[in-house]
Amino acid sequence: MDTLVAQLQRQFRDYTISLYHQLFWYVKGFLDDQFTELKKLQDECSPDFVAEVVSLFFEDCEKLIGNMARALDQTGNVDFSLVGSSVHQLKGSSSSVGAKRVKGLCVTFKECCDSQNFEGCVRCLQQVDIEYKSLKAKLQDLFNLEQQIVQAGGRIPQVDI
Amino acid sequence: MAVGEVMRMEIPSGGDMSVTSPELHVLAVDDSIVDRKVIERLLRISACKVTTVESGARALQYLGLDGDKGASGLKDLKVNLIVTDYSMPGLTGYDLLKKIKESSVFREIPVVIMSSENILPRIEQCLREGAEDFLLKPVKLADVKRIKELIMRNEAEDCKTLSHSNKRKLAEYIDDASSPSPSPSPSPSSSTHDDSSAKDFPSSKQMKSADEKFSSLL
């Protein structure tokens, strides 16, 4: 009979792996190596480091997406270089936290800005918005699982991807 | 200390004058709050003291290079290394690098540039201007460890140079103070360990970095 801790640990392991790996050919992993790098920086002295960084990242997403939306809203007078610079910043921070899908979308988004493709930009903006919120929800689930494990008296497993 | 009191240096009774390696103080410059948080943690976990600022202008202010005489009080801690992002609004990392290398006070501080873009002409330009190294973002723990080792090695070399010249001066002093009988002279290579060879270090460091960088890119 599996203990609660063992069940939770298994759930945590499976969920983590699913976040990194491609499940279907058209579905890219949500996270890449850089997320693993961030986990290396977490220890007893800085036990919430990863949660703190991703929290800053999601705030950054909100701010930058707001900037881009406002710039794209200036009908007939869109400053594509302004949108492009916000995309560049978003690409940078998503890269720093390992947010693989958001980063990938930024590449496409940047191309639309460079070619002043208004519809393309609007589409990319919508996708980026959906994507960061989706990642935010998934990471929240992951952190909740961690908490449950700890509260049940267990250790958070090291998952090798 | 009362007036007239003389400060006496405490010499450990074991006579051990070796200094344990002090912590590096790093000034990290990046306009991204996420990247500032990450680089700060990377450096702290590598046993460095860290000060983060959000722009080149703030970095110059911190160093007291912005022309505002009042800012000098801020820098209680000597800065041993500057790590800066390349693309920043206002002063770019390259502009900051130039300003630091133009300063007679700060030009010896090693500067490392970080960028998310792997643009060879950009890398070359920074190395030519005197950057110690160039890191591709996202920055990893291994990158920071490597940079720290490089800086500590260079500082150790500088200390060795200094202590050689101090030993020579001490030997000369003893020679002058003692009887005319000649004491054994210090090592014949000591003449190379003077100030002018120390000036050669920065450029040889640059060339080495450039070679290392290019070979890893090819």
Side-chain angles (χ1 to χ4, degrees):
Chain A
M1 182 64 175
D2 242 352
T3 62
L4 172 64
V5 171
Q7 275 176 39
L8 288 170
Q9 285 175 332
R10 202 175 42 248
Q11 227 183 318
F12 177 84
R13 216 176 239 118
D14 292 344
Y15 199 60
T16 299
I17 292 172
S18 78
L19 287 176
Y20 280 84
H21 282 158
Q22 211 161 311
L23 296 175
F24 306 102
W25 67 268
Y26 56 86
V27 174
K28 261 211 246 173
F30 288 84
L31 298 173
D32 64 30
D33 284 351
Q34 185 61 14
F35 190 78
T36 315
E37 288 294 317
L38 291 188
K39 292 215 123 207
K40 287 182 191 170
L41 305 180
Q42 184 161 288
D43 59 19
E44 312 78 49
C45 304
S46 221
D48 301 313
F49 174 71
V50 178
E52 287 165 7
V53 180
V54 300
S55 175
L56 282 175
F57 168 64
F58 294 130
E59 282 171 18
D60 210 31
C61 286
E62 215 179 299
K63 185 190 89 176
L64 291 169
I65 287 170
N67 293 349
M68 295 175 214
R70 257 187 310 277
L72 288 169
D73 216 19
Q74 311 299 312
T75 357
N77 192 24
V78 174
D79 185 350
F80 286 98
S81 68
L82 195 60
V83 184
S85 97
S86 288
V87 173
H88 178 79
Q89 287 181 62
L90 185 59
K91 181 167 176 248
S93 52
S94 60
S95 163
S96 295
V97 304
K100 186 173 178 172
R101 286 212 217 177
V102 176
K103 180 181 169 184
L105 282 172
C106 286
V107 175
T108 316
F109 201 160
K110 190 70 173 41
E111 286 165 11
C112 293
C113 292
D114 293 343
S115 52
Q116 310 216 342
N117 175 356
F118 180 76
E119 271 98 29
C121 282
V122 172
R123 257 197 314 274
C124 285
L125 183 64
Q126 285 168 350
Q127 284 178 306
V128 156
D129 192 55
I130 291 169
E131 205 53 62
Y132 100 83
K133 285 172 177 163
S134 167
L135 179 62
K136 186 173 176 181
K138 288 190 182 300
L139 286 180
Q140 194 54 63
D141 288 344
L142 193 69
F143 295 144
N144 288 345
L145 264 174
E146 281 184 349
Q147 244 186 344
Q148 285 177 59
I149 292 171
V150 170
Q151 276 167 6
R155 223 183 27 94
I156 296 163
Q158 171 104 325
V159 185
D160 295 318
I161 302 298
Chain B
M1 244 174 49
V3 170
E5 231 181 84
V6 174
M7 235 175 57
R8 289 184 202 289
M9 186 173 146
E10 288 293 316
I11 300 196
S13 52
D16 178 16
M17 291 287 281
S18 68
V19 179
T20 52
S21 72
E23 269 190 327
L24 286 188
H25 177 212
V26 186
L27 177 64
V29 192
D30 203 314
D31 61 317
S32 158
I33 191 171
V34 172
D35 289 355
R36 275 203 302 282
K37 174 107 181 154
V38 174
I39 195 74
E40 180 187 50
R41 183 71 190 139
L42 283 167
L43 290 164
R44 286 239 165 91
I45 219 175
S46 308
C48 297
K49 287 198 184 70
V50 193
T51 302
T52 58
V53 292
E54 65 195 11
S55 69
R58 279 256 184 278
L60 291 177
Q61 211 176 26
Y62 182 82
L63 295 169
L65 271 178
D66 61 342
D68 175 11
K69 302 293 177 215
S72 58
L74 288 169
K75 46 171 183 63
D76 297 325
L77 295 167
K78 177 176 185 272
V79 172
N80 305 111
L81 168 65
I82 297 168
V83 177
T84 177
D85 190 24
Y86 184 94
S87 329
M88 297 187 290
L91 273 176
T92 65
Y94 178 71
D95 296 329
L96 179 60
L97 167 68
K98 277 211 299 194
K99 284 244 185 304
I100 288 164
K101 294 303 169 187
E102 279 163 15
S103 150
S104 51
V105 183
F106 295 107
R107 73 158 68 99
E108 291 306 314
I109 301 181
V111 180
V112 171
I113 310 276
M114 304 180 283
S115 175
S116 54
E117 295 165 296
N118 192 2
I119 298 171
L120 199 54
R122 173 182 291 185
I123 298 172
E124 286 174 345
Q125 184 195 46
C126 290
L127 292 177
R128 257 201 310 272
E129 197 60 42
E132 198 67 29
D133 209 326
F134 190 100
L135 295 178
L136 216 47
K137 282 180 163 184
V139 181
K140 300 173 166 26
L141 199 52
D143 297 323
V144 173
K145 285 203 149 82
R146 193 189 84 234
I147 295 293
K148 189 188 174 192
E149 276 161 24
L150 179 67
I151 303 299
M152 301 284 271
R153 215 173 28 239
N154 291 341
E155 296 243 322
E157 278 172 14
D158 291 350
C159 280
K160 258 197 327 205
T161 304
L162 219 57
S163 77
H164 268 291
S165 79
N166 279 347
K167 278 184 192 154
R168 185 161 45 93
K169 284 184 186 136
L170 189 59
E172 283 168 5
Y173 175 77
I174 290 170
D175 281 353
D176 291 345
S178 69
S179 63
S181 56
S183 22
S185 57
S187 101
S189 61
S190 65
S191 57
T192 61
H193 294 281
D194 58 11
D195 283 343
S196 63
S197 67
K199 286 198 202 103
D200 289 340
F201 281 153
S203 53
S204 62
K205 271 187 274 184
Q206 274 174 47
M207 288 309 291
K208 194 168 149 222
S209 293
D211 284 348
E212 281 172 355
K213 210 71 237 165
F214 294 160
S215 59
S216 67
L217 290 168
L218 294 169

